Amino acid sequence: MQQQKTVEMKNIHKQFPFVKAVDGARFDLFKGEIHSLIGENGAGKSTMMKILYGMYPIDQGEIFLNGEKVDLSKYNTHSAIQHGIGMVHQEFMLVKEMTVLENIILGVEPTKGNSKMALDFTAARKKINHYIENYQMNVHLDRKVLNISVGEMQRVEIIKALYRGADVLILDEPTAVLTPQETDKLFEILDIMRKDGVTIVFISHKLKEVMAISDRISVMRGGRYVATVDKSDTTIPELAKMMVGREVFLDGKRSMVEMGEPVLQVKNVYVPSERELSKNRDISFVVRAGEVLGVAGIDGNGQSELGEAIAGLRPVEKGEIILGDKVISNKAAHYVRDCGLAHIPEDRNDRGLNKEHTVTYNLVAAEIGNAPFSKYGIISEKEMRKVSEERIERFDIRPRDPRNLAMGFSGGNAQKIVVARELGAPGKKLLLAAQPTRGVDIGSIEGIRKLIDQAKREGLGVLLISADIDEILALSDRIIVMYEGRISGEVVNDENLTDEKLGMLMLGGESDAKSEV
Amino acid sequence: MLANWSEILEKIFSYTLIHDGFVAAVPIFYACMCAVISRQANIVNIAAEGILMFGAFFGFAASYFTGSWICGVLAGMVIGVLVSWFMGKAYLNYKVNIFVVGLSVNMIAASGTRFLLNTIFGANGNFVSDKVQAIAKVNLGFLNKNPVLASLFSGYAVTDLLIIPLVIVVWYMFYKTVWGLRLRSVGLNPMASMTAGIDVKKKQMQALLLSGACAGIGGAHLSLGYSCFFIEGMSGGKGFMGMAAMQFGNANPLAAGVGCVFFGMSQSVASRIAPWGIPNQFVSMFPYVATTLVLAITVIIQRMKRRREESALVGKKA
Amino acid sequence: MLKVKSEKFETTIRIVLAFVFSFVLFGVVIAICGHNPIDAFYQLFRGGFGSKFNFGSLIEDFIMILTIASAYSLTRRIGYFNLGLEGSFYLGAMFSAAPAFLLPDLPKIVIIPLSLACGFIVAALYGSICGILKAYYNVNEACTTILMNYVAIFFCDFMINNVWVSPGSPIPQTPYVQENAMFAKLPLSPSRASTAIFIAILVYIFVYFLSFRTTFGFKIRNVATNARYSDTVGIKSKRVVLATVMLSCGLGGIAGGLEVLGIYGTFIQNFSQNSAFQGIIACLLVNNNLALVPLSSFFISFTRAGGSGMEYYTGISSALIYTVTPLMILFVSMEKMFDYKRFFGFVRKIFVRNKENNLKA
Amino acid sequence: GTSEKTPVDAGTTAMDGKTGSQGITSGMEAVDGLEANAPEAPTTTGADVKIGFVSTGVLGDKALTDTTWAGLNKLKDDYPDVEIKIYESPNGTTDWEPNIIAASEWADLVIVNASSCGEILLSVAERFPDVYYVANEFPVEDNPQFASDVYTCNEVSFLLGCLAGLFTQNTDIPGINEEHVVGYISGMEAPTTLDYFTGFEAGAKFTCPDVTVLQSWTGSYTDPLLAKEMTKGMISQGADCILGCISSAVVGVFEACDEADIYSFGLDTNKDADYEGTIITSGLKCGDVTSYKFGKEFIEGTWKPGFILMDCASGALDITDMATIKEYLQMDVIDDYYNQVIGIRDDLRAGEIEVPYIPAARGEE
Ligand SMILES: Nc1ncnc2c1ncn2[C@@H]1O[C@H](COP(=O)(O)OP(=O)(O)OP(=O)(O)O)[C@@H](O)[C@H]1O
Ligand SMILES: Nc1ncnc2c1ncn2[C@@H]1O[C@H](COP(=O)(O)OP(=O)(O)OP(=O)(O)O)[C@@H](O)[C@H]1O
Ligand SMILES: [Mg+2]
Ligand SMILES: [Mg+2]
């Protein structure tokens, strides 16, 4: 494989206010390869790629594009695009209120005739249709982005990059939110692109996928470069070990517990949503003590809305939700928590943590009005400190100092703060865990899954909402699948259950499996 | 008195209201365009009020010293651009909260123009002078025979008429040009725009400068076209009403324009009702209450509409 | 840890530089206007501390500014830009006056709290309008509060012209309040400074304690930094926002009450000329650092009293100092502009280069 | 306010005697002749006294602030050792008390245009027993610290009202419409402004019994834009002669009338030439004469406390000779109107006509 290097990054250093994100790492790309970049949370993968895409200035280092050294003082996103680099970000970079078409042409708009101002949408359509046909990427150009599915957004992002003439395409965790079927479809597209000579960087935490698609694999750890290996020369356990620095076991057997009384009863519930497909309609199920009920489904089919409705963060238009023996539908979050809900929200950066507050505050925020922490409305910093130190110890949150701001924590430890707040508090009956390990590295996934399993053993009912089929399969006793806001099926998690069967349910059942991706 | 209520109403809502209402709306229009342009770049610009003040003073002073209203309007525009450049620096480069910047600019404008009036013209509070040339009025003499047509189409200052093309141009720029598409994207999602290779800060700065120019011209219009004198605090809340109109029109120049006309009309109606013994405080309050009500009602209706749209009980049923 | 400390130190120095810069600017403008800046500064100082009257005027302003700055800091914390304080100042003043002239003579201990409470409640209700619009409908408060200010001011105007008229008074005002409702004057005659200052200090202590020692303060600080998170952990963020806004406006109303019961003894038309904004400035000047608010309030009161003193004694328009104070806010907020290290680096560079050139030559 | 100010635009004050001064000159004599019934005279006199002047508005109002200050400046010219200082109130109400206190701290004699701030003035004066005061347009009797005067505003506005009534009936005059409607605009309903209104209405009814007199109150004396808007509103209701009794905001009234080609009146000083062809005449009030008189008496030790009523008969009030509007309109009927109104004025002086007034404005009741 002695080809020309399209990209070469050498000895890159990048310091953020709180962390050294990249510490002398390197990275290179051969033309027409698919190169995976893996590593734990906060290893610096995204940062490294954002540097390549000209989004961050760097402190030190060199970048060569097609063998030529670039002048880093003038290097920015604009020049990266001109060098044929395109990036699909972990969070989609789309303007939701604008149409797909406008999003695609943004920044490189065709103009009418020789005027430099007037937009020419017809020319744009023509050019885009070329990519749509070539790579069979089905998108609706005139819909607003907020009305399309996650998979479609991904395709829009890819077209956006190609439209800009990208021959190096960076995909940052593109599969985190996709179903197996959608992932397969994406891989087909990537395959065609590779044949067309497009160079692809693929970032993922899912080593199976990495092994399926890559030509070469680079590993980063703690901002440093670890190694680059050919796919054919390595195995999954070996990669995992390189990433974490020790052996990892993810397929720990889930424990079997005697099931008790129902703790959560959801009866014919209707929940509103901004998106048509996410509106919950006529949802009913029961979670018993000592049971993990998994809610599977493609992101955006109403799982988030269901979770929020249970947690008291979204109104319920019809039907009833009962926790223990109390009706909690349309009650305030505070009341629901008092009834025994522990809630790991799906986005720790948004709902899960107050990044500008200390770990202490984050750990006790939900109980601040209660006895030891406050008296007659006056808070006691001392009690808060004492309890938070206990929880930090018990849930192994690193670093240990409770005075740190939540901002500085890595994904895994940040998520542990959330878990500690929720499970550390006494008197809980139900654990509502939404995407508890999304974007968390393998090491931390292991720890968090253990904590969920332990909660079940302690007699809590667990409602696990996850888009990650492996996680659902690893933890759940029973699984319901949501499709377009309804429950499309319920299965028991035993040996007879296959990925394929679940995938079919996630697409609305066997009959209309082929309808829409 | 009661007997001729209908007569009085007829007088109040006569055809001349269109002329008067439009003229009263024009300063609000300029402030509103300032607010609209910056809002599209996701900047809530409460400094329109202050820039109006600066524009009014410097426009007036320039006309005083040069004897030309064109210089006056240009001076208003230039000072508007300068002030908003300074705001842009503070907000974009030094990350000062935009409200703090806006509030400071408003206060600097209020007392700064007072100070300059005192130092340059030796006047306290207000200043009138023959040396100042007012903005030319477009009088269509041939219409004079018909009082209705003359009232509707004649006797506007140049800057009164300028606002119409300005609104249309702003609308076209927003929705039909590359510049507008990029500006709106910057306003809606700066991160996405940045990754699309757009220089977000530069775009926001452009928007600010443009909005400053609008408010600056509006200020000059206030002291040279709408009237021909300078008084301290002469912007009198017009900048804020422009902002409210912007909110009313959801930052769409045309819809916001409708809001401006509404405010202008309500001011005119208020001043026409006053002589018939309705307490002046209620009359003066009317545009503000109307604005707040319209604002509140629009958002509440929007909210209810969204509620209905979001409801799971409608639409695709089993 | 050391690094953080040195950074704090640098920030402090830059802020001090911003202040110094503002005053130098002030002096230069005075010199340009043909006055002696040193004399002007002396007169400014004299205007603040020169006589019992001067110092008393300073205290009069301090009472109002400290109260409003404390009130404002509450909403500033939750990122609510509460320009509505001007309106609550008016309403609070008028409705504090109301019980004091409507009711027969009551003992001090009854009538003063009653009056202030009345002002507080009306102002808080007034604040709730914009508060609800913001918290529940997400209407930009900068727009609504400004508009509501006008409504409040015109409403007060209407009341004193048509309902609570003071018979035979040449200017629209309410009747004078009963003797017992007035705060006792401080021994700073002929100024009007009164013992209302103790209420102002109480308000400040209350706000400080509330913000940092109570669960409500904890909730405010959480909602301020992340409202969605607060909802999730069971804090009713919308209600907290509304309550904070109402509390803040209510305290603004108390400021109005102190003005009426401490200074005028009646509610007069146009009795505040954007006074509430002075309190807002005081809060912004120290970047909402509550511990420094009394200091900045004192400073702003000093510039006000000193400014009019300076105008009396030297003829320099006090508008100048009112121009410089908001400029000061901008400079302080842009403290990075005063990067003295870079400046010294720059100077050193020039110096070194000159030296090298000299050596070469 | 500063002490170095010279009177703004002296051409418009009554001091220079260029225009419309016949009333003022006679007024000077008449005022000199007035005797206040006074208990005792002050002791602090001499050529080096300090005189402070507190205005309720700001300089440049072409009204009482300007004329009073002009009188003091003339005094300064005649007695160079006198120190004079003006305390302006750009912020209105809130500035009054501190200004009066500051002036009292500094001066021996404080002259205050007190029509709106009389009560405050009295309460401050109690705190300064050694200072003497002159209260313009605010009656104070039986107070040894105070000399005071009140102008019979209703009389001067009666004359203007007469002219308005005559003008609005004559559709031959350009800009005059069929309807008999005239208007009065002022800031706030205070005794003085109501006094003006009462006189104006009586005058208009005197010459045109079926006239409708509209009144608008803007709530502010310092906002000409608002005044302009309100005037426009009034014009749209058919008014064609409008009296603006609104201090410095009056330029708004003038501008609106000028743009609509209808008629207005000046007040306090001769403003006939300001908006040529718009202003029928100006009602004159000799503020400069009174301030000069009181200052001079104070210096010479003849100052006496007490109350003086400055009425038409005393010559302190008058109207201009209307030369500007005559020249502009070139109509004989204007001369007739002028003579008619001068006749009415003389009847007033002779006490043959009684104009209704607001008792509160004269300290009665
Ligand atoms: N904008 C930023 N400001 C400050 N620190 C940052 C920023 N972005 C990233 N970091 C820091 O840089 C480190 C590397 O982050 P980066 O996002 O590159 O990790 P990653 O390998 O992509 O992790 P993940 O798997 O979670 O996506 C993180 O530990 C974080 O602390
Ligand atoms: N602006 C920032 N300032 C400081 N630290 C940041 C900033 N943005 C991100 N980080 C840190 O970078 C780390 C990684 O960032 P990122 O936003 O990618 O979150 P994450 O927890 O790794 O989850 P994900 O993989 O889903 O992104 C986080 O732990 C966070 O603490
Ligand atoms: Mg990442
Ligand atoms: Mg008529």
Side-chain angles (χ1 to χ4, degrees), chain C residues 40-353:
Chain C
F41 279 119
Y42 169 69
Q43 299 300 358
L44 187 69
F45 191 76
R46 217 180 109 198
F49 302 103
S51 71
K52 266 172 145 187
F53 168 59
N54 297 132
F55 187 65
S57 309
L58 190 158
I59 295 297
E60 280 173 31
D61 282 346
F62 179 69
I63 294 171
M64 170 195 80
I65 291 175
L66 178 65
T67 316
I68 290 188
S70 310
Y72 181 71
S73 92
L74 277 174
T75 37
R76 178 83 189 112
R77 210 167 283 291
I78 54 167
Y80 178 95
F81 207 67
N82 192 5
L83 297 177
L85 280 172
E86 181 80 4
S88 25
F89 189 59
Y90 269 85
L91 286 172
M94 191 173 73
F95 281 89
S96 297
F101 65 74
L102 288 176
L103 300 177
D105 220 353
L106 292 169
K108 251 190 169 50
I109 194 81
V110 179
I111 188 66
I112 289 184
L114 181 72
S115 287
L116 292 180
C118 185
F120 177 90
I121 290 169
V122 174
L125 287 178
Y126 154 84
S128 72
I129 299 173
C130 299
I132 289 174
L133 282 175
K134 169 71 176 186
Y136 293 90
Y137 299 98
N138 200 21
V139 186
N140 189 314
E141 76 280 7
C143 285
T144 53
T145 51
I146 288 169
L147 289 169
M148 287 304 289
N149 276 346
Y150 287 101
V151 177
I153 294 169
F154 284 125
F155 172 72
C156 292
D157 249 28
F158 172 79
M159 291 299 285
I160 52 179
N161 275 297
N162 297 289
V163 185
W164 289 333
V165 188
S166 174
S169 156
I171 47 167
Q173 62 181 39
T174 63
Y176 279 89
V177 303
Q178 43 166 290
E179 196 67 16
N180 268 338
M182 294 295 288
F183 284 96
K185 295 269 181 287
L186 292 176
L188 287 170
S189 179
S191 83
R192 303 163 295 176
S194 72
T195 44
I197 190 167
F198 298 114
I199 306 286
I201 292 171
L202 266 179
V203 166
Y204 168 72
I205 294 174
F206 168 74
V207 168
Y208 194 97
F209 186 79
L210 186 82
S211 302
F212 297 111
R213 294 278 179 278
T214 65
T215 48
F216 185 69
F218 182 87
K219 288 176 186 175
I220 290 179
R221 281 177 289 146
N222 261 306
V223 172
T225 36
N226 187 345
R228 285 168 63 79
Y229 157 83
S230 311
D231 280 330
T232 312
V233 297
I235 297 167
K236 291 168 190 149
S237 65
K238 290 179 178 173
R239 221 180 275 184
V240 170
V241 169
L242 180 56
T244 314
V245 172
M246 286 180 70
L247 186 61
S248 168
C249 284
L251 293 178
I254 288 200
L258 296 183
E259 197 85 343
V260 162
L261 305 184
I263 296 180
Y264 298 106
T266 168
F267 173 80
I268 318 171
Q269 182 174 46
N270 292 341
F271 91 122
S272 145
Q273 302 282 335
N274 288 341
S275 309
F277 288 94
Q278 303 297 328
I280 297 178
I281 290 189
C283 187
L284 292 178
L285 197 56
V286 290
N287 207 359
N288 201 20
N289 182 341
L290 205 42
L292 292 180
V293 159
L295 202 66
S296 67
S297 300
F298 193 80
F299 175 74
I300 299 286
S301 330
F302 160 68
T303 60
R304 273 168 69 95
S308 22
M310 188 182 70
E311 187 167 319
Y312 293 148
Y313 304 132
T314 68
I316 301 166
S317 168
S318 62
L320 180 58
I321 188 116
Y322 293 140
T323 315
V324 172
T325 21
L327 260 178
M328 222 179 258
I329 297 187
L330 278 180
F331 290 143
V332 168
S333 324
M334 297 195 289
E335 38 99 4
K336 291 252 160 54
M337 209 166 76
F338 299 89
D339 195 340
Y340 62 98
K341 279 191 166 166
R342 231 171 67 190
F343 178 73
F344 285 133
F346 180 69
V347 171
R348 187 178 306 142
K349 230 186 217 166
I350 294 175
F351 186 68
V352 169
R353 197 174 297 155

Side-chain angles (χ1 to χ4, degrees), chain D residues 167-171 176-181 238-240:
Chain D
F167 264 65
T168 193
Q169 296 177 70
N170 188 347
T171 48
I176 297 295
N177 57 25
E178 308 264 289
E179 295 156 68
H180 297 171
V181 181
D240 42 23

Side-chain angles (χ1 to χ4, degrees), chain A residues 31-65:
Chain A
K31 188 157 176 48
E33 70 167 342
I34 295 185
H35 190 151
S36 287
L37 184 58
I38 61 173
E40 287 182 288
N41 285 124
K45 308 179 293 288
S46 301
T47 308
M48 192 77 178
M49 288 302 113
K50 283 177 183 170
I51 289 168
L52 178 57
Y53 190 56
M55 289 174 71
Y56 293 142
I58 55 172
D59 309 327
Q60 197 186 324
E62 295 173 319
I63 300 178
F64 296 86
L65 297 178

